[in-house]
Amino acid sequence: MKTRPYPAWISRLFIFLVAALSFTGLTQMPLAKRYALTTIPGMAWTGDFYLVHKIHYVLGAMLLFLAALAAVNWLKGWGRTLRLTGLGAARVAVVGGLLLSGLLRVYRNLPGVTLDPAYILTIEWAHLILFMVLGVLALVALMRGVSAYAVRK
Amino acid sequence: MAEKKHRTGTVSRRGFLKALGVGSAGALVPAAPALAAQERVPAPSDGELATLLDLSKCIGCGACVEACRESNADKFPEPVKPFSEMLPSRRAKPEDWSDLRDVDDRLTPYNWLFLQNAQVEYRGESFDINIPRRCMHCQNPPCANMCPFGAANKQVNGLTRISPNLCMGGAKCRTVCPWHIPQRQSGVGLYRHLMPRLAGNGVMYKCDRCYQLLDKGELPACIAVCPENVQTIGPRAEIVARAKALAEEMNGFVYGLEENGGTNTLYVSPVPFGLIDQAIDKDSGPGADKKLRAADKAKALGPGRPPMGPVKDVMADETNLATAAFIAPVAGIAAGVLGLGSKLLNTGEDGHED
Ligand code: SF4
Ligand code: SF4
Ligand code: SF4
């Protein structure tokens, strides 16, 4: 694997956030109880939909912060020395879609906000499908040994 | 059905609903011009309809329960049996009400409305209160907000509905609903065509406020049929005002204004709801599962008798966290502009951490 030309802590934080968001997102589906995850010592919290949901919100906010920070830095200078790989660009687009659909979900959950059920459905399924696409892309990148999003020009 | 409506639904009430333009399920904009033209009803600011149940009037005749069944019979599940065996079989059990369709003393997939009874002593008087129970149609419904598939949704006219075509039957809506209202029937729905052994377990059912009638400008079946005119439906602001006035008049109490942050179902009672909650036979709420495990088979299928105690706004934390989610990208941009990052890039090459 190539060393990434951007700070290691950014990659590590990004990977941690995406992994933790994937987990808390997946456990939004009623799986933890059915598949006995809740019976593993220390994992009982995975069965608490509200707790997992709130953690997902917090992690999502952190990823939004990181993504905005990276985007600004890209515009400010990283873009001159770095080049997005093909898979990197694809994943940036997917992560962007996930963040946007996630934000729309947060918006929809505010009291006093009622969107047309058709919009809700679109937002919901966009979020779910993009998540699956990101998983596939990450796997491909990992197998090809090109998991860095960007390389030096 | 038509006969029933004529028997009891007064023309003025039906006309009133028609004028409201409560059709167009899920339309983004309520029919404002129609509302403006209706002199009896001020235009509701949010387009939400609410119902008011005057518990001092209900005689417990059960006509509403019957009418609900009749009106919604074509929505009831017809499960395919035998159910596909699910994994892991010890934890994923089918819930089957199809042979218990006549059960009317709790909520089931075939009974979306039932009557609770509370005999209450209050201020030296004894009261016999009958309470029609069904979905509260929360203003900010967790069943809809938390559904991972978008199958449960609140409509602009203030009612919550679960789409039987999209519901996977995971019963999360029942878990997160403060009253555990939706009920599951296995052997129907989308999951049968996806991974029936691994995910899903049927479809969830509950009161949908007879959207098919509302869309036509008609009253929900349980409202139309009631011989005592226990229920009233209208724009939420008006219904709230009416509920408060009625409570004042009878020196009574309102349920649904604060509960779960506000619901579109308001109960008015001459006795405190705390006393009602103690007196009703309920098997819902905390600890219900444990009790049920030991109970008989029909009961072990799940709680279906909602409590009537205080309910905090279950989505309140999410509402607060939403601010963080909206501020986060702005903060990220600000941090970037202020210089966090440019110096970090230089540290990248030698892989050294900040
Ligand atoms: S029909 Fe009216 S009076 Fe009869 S049980 Fe229902 S709400 Fe009460
Ligand atoms: S009462 Fe329960 S099922 Fe009905 S809208 Fe509220 S959360 Fe949903
Ligand atoms: S509104 Fe319709 S579905 Fe809901 S309880 Fe009344 S009759 Fe049943």
Side-chain angles (χ1 to χ4, degrees):
Chain A
M1 238 184 278
K2 279 181 196 156
T3 39
R4 292 170 179 78
Y6 39 89
W9 72 266
I10 288 200
S11 316
R12 289 196 191 135
L13 182 59
F14 180 78
I15 291 167
F16 163 77
L17 288 176
V18 170
L21 277 162
S22 303
F23 181 76
T24 50
L26 274 174
T27 39
Q28 286 304 305
M29 292 189 238
L31 299 171
K33 264 210 180 107
R34 173 157 176 179
Y35 289 106
L37 192 59
T38 47
T39 61
I40 299 172
M43 294 300 271
W45 62 274
T46 57
D48 181 341
F49 288 124
Y50 283 110
L51 182 62
V52 175
H53 197 233
K54 284 174 228 171
I55 296 174
H56 198 69
Y57 265 49
V58 172
L59 294 166
M62 288 167 74
L63 187 61
L64 279 161
F65 176 83
L66 195 66
L69 181 68
V72 170
N73 276 296
W74 187 272
L75 294 176
K76 271 180 75 181
W78 294 7
R80 283 195 292 277
T81 46
L82 302 181
R83 177 179 59 81
L84 279 178
T85 63
L87 271 172
R91 281 176 294 167
V92 164
V94 171
V95 170
L98 276 165
L99 288 174
L100 187 70
S101 51
L103 264 182
L104 285 170
R105 289 219 50 185
V106 171
Y107 173 70
R108 157 253 162 103
N109 285 354
L110 290 174
V113 175
T114 307
L115 302 179
D116 187 299
Y119 293 165
I120 302 287
L121 212 62
T122 314
I123 295 168
E124 211 79 39
W125 282 91
H127 202 65
L128 240 129
I129 290 167
L130 286 172
F131 165 70
M132 292 190 264
V133 173
L134 186 67
V136 171
L137 290 178
L139 211 66
V140 171
L142 211 64
M143 286 192 314
R144 289 216 203 137
V146 287
S147 55
Y149 275 52
V151 291
R152 268 198 198 280
K153 269 186 183 158
Chain B
M1 277 330 301
E3 286 159 25
K4 282 208 173 108
K5 267 179 326 243
H6 284 299
R7 204 174 64 207
T8 51
T10 63
V11 178
S12 65
R13 276 193 294 165
R14 282 193 291 143
F16 149 92
L17 264 181
K18 246 183 202 119
L20 265 178
V22 290
S24 57
L28 265 174
V29 190
L35 289 169
Q38 175 59 294
E39 85 262 90
R40 267 190 61 206
V41 196
S45 55
D46 51 10
E48 284 186 18
L49 290 172
T51 55
L52 163 62
L53 291 97
D54 180 352
L55 295 184
S56 71
K57 283 186 182 169
C58 178
I59 54 170
C61 68
C64 51
V65 179
E66 267 309 305
C68 177
R69 280 172 181 254
E70 262 178 60
S71 173
N72 297 301
D74 57 343
K75 300 174 193 163
F76 292 161
E78 290 302 334
V80 178
K81 293 189 202 180
F83 304 133
S84 38
E85 201 183 300
M86 286 177 293
L87 289 172
S89 58
R90 270 189 60 226
R91 296 185 148 256
K93 293 198 171 65
E95 282 179 33
D96 182 16
W97 287 96
S98 58
D99 297 329
L100 300 164
R101 294 182 194 220
D102 293 338
V103 171
D104 64 359
D105 62 349
R106 54 159 289 162
L107 299 174
T108 80
Y110 302 90
N111 198 62
W112 303 351
L113 170 64
F114 81 107
L115 294 172
Q116 284 176 326
N117 180 264
Q119 316 233 349
V120 177
E121 294 286 328
Y122 180 59
R123 289 190 177 143
E125 252 186 278
S126 47
F127 290 84
D128 188 7
I129 310 270
N130 298 301
I131 315 142
R133 291 309 296 271
R134 52 152 170 86
C135 173
M136 299 289 289
H137 296 287
C138 302
Q139 287 204 283
N140 194 27
C143 61
N145 290 344
M146 306 276 277
C147 174
F149 309 108
N153 272 306
K154 180 183 161 186
Q155 292 183 180
V156 179
N157 59 359
L159 60 90
T160 347
R161 239 171 99 181
I162 301 171
S163 162
N165 300 324
L166 290 167
C167 177
M168 293 283 289
K172 183 183 181 182
C173 52
R174 179 171 63 193
T175 307
V176 298
C177 167
W179 293 278
H180 309 298
I181 298 280
Q183 298 297 323
R184 171 157 66 190
Q185 175 62 48
S186 299
V188 275
L190 192 57
Y191 89 110
R192 289 185 50 249
H193 309 289
L194 300 174
M195 301 180 291
R197 289 170 63 85
L198 297 175
N201 192 356
V203 170
M204 307 303 294
Y205 293 91
K206 68 169 192 71
C207 157
D208 56 20
R209 228 206 244 144
C210 291
Y211 68 89
Q212 80 283 5
L213 296 177
L214 275 184
D215 284 356
K216 285 189 285 180
E218 290 172 19
L219 289 171
C222 60
I223 302 183
V225 80
C226 178
E228 303 295 320
N229 284 329
V230 166
Q231 291 197 61
T232 326
I233 186 168
R236 189 169 199 276
E238 190 190 279
I239 291 294
V240 167
R242 232 186 262 189
K244 285 179 176 164
L246 185 63
E248 186 134 322
E249 210 175 284
M250 68 168 81
N251 215 348
F253 305 85
V254 187
Y255 191 79
L257 289 176
E258 309 292 334
E259 283 69 24
N260 195 21
T263 66
N264 282 329
T265 299
L266 301 178
Y267 290 97
V268 175
S269 149
V271 301
F273 286 94
L275 293 179
I276 291 182
D277 190 49
Q278 283 166 27
I280 51 176
D281 171 21
K282 58 181 184 289
D283 60 3
S284 190
D289 285 344
K290 259 171 255 144
K291 248 192 306 177
L292 282 165
R293 233 169 272 145
D296 60 298
K297 196 167 171 260
K299 276 198 159 184
L301 286 167
R305 300 185 180 101
M308 208 148 212
V311 171
K312 70 172 175 69
D313 182 357
V314 292
M315 293 297 291
D317 290 340
E318 272 84 348
T319 305
N320 294 331
L321 286 172
T323 319
F326 293 131
I327 290 175
V330 182
I333 292 171
V337 171
L338 290 177
L340 180 61
S342 42
K343 77 166 197 277
L344 301 175
L345 181 63
N346 307 327
T347 65
E349 191 70 321
D350 30 284
H352 124 155
E353 286 182 61
D354 217 270

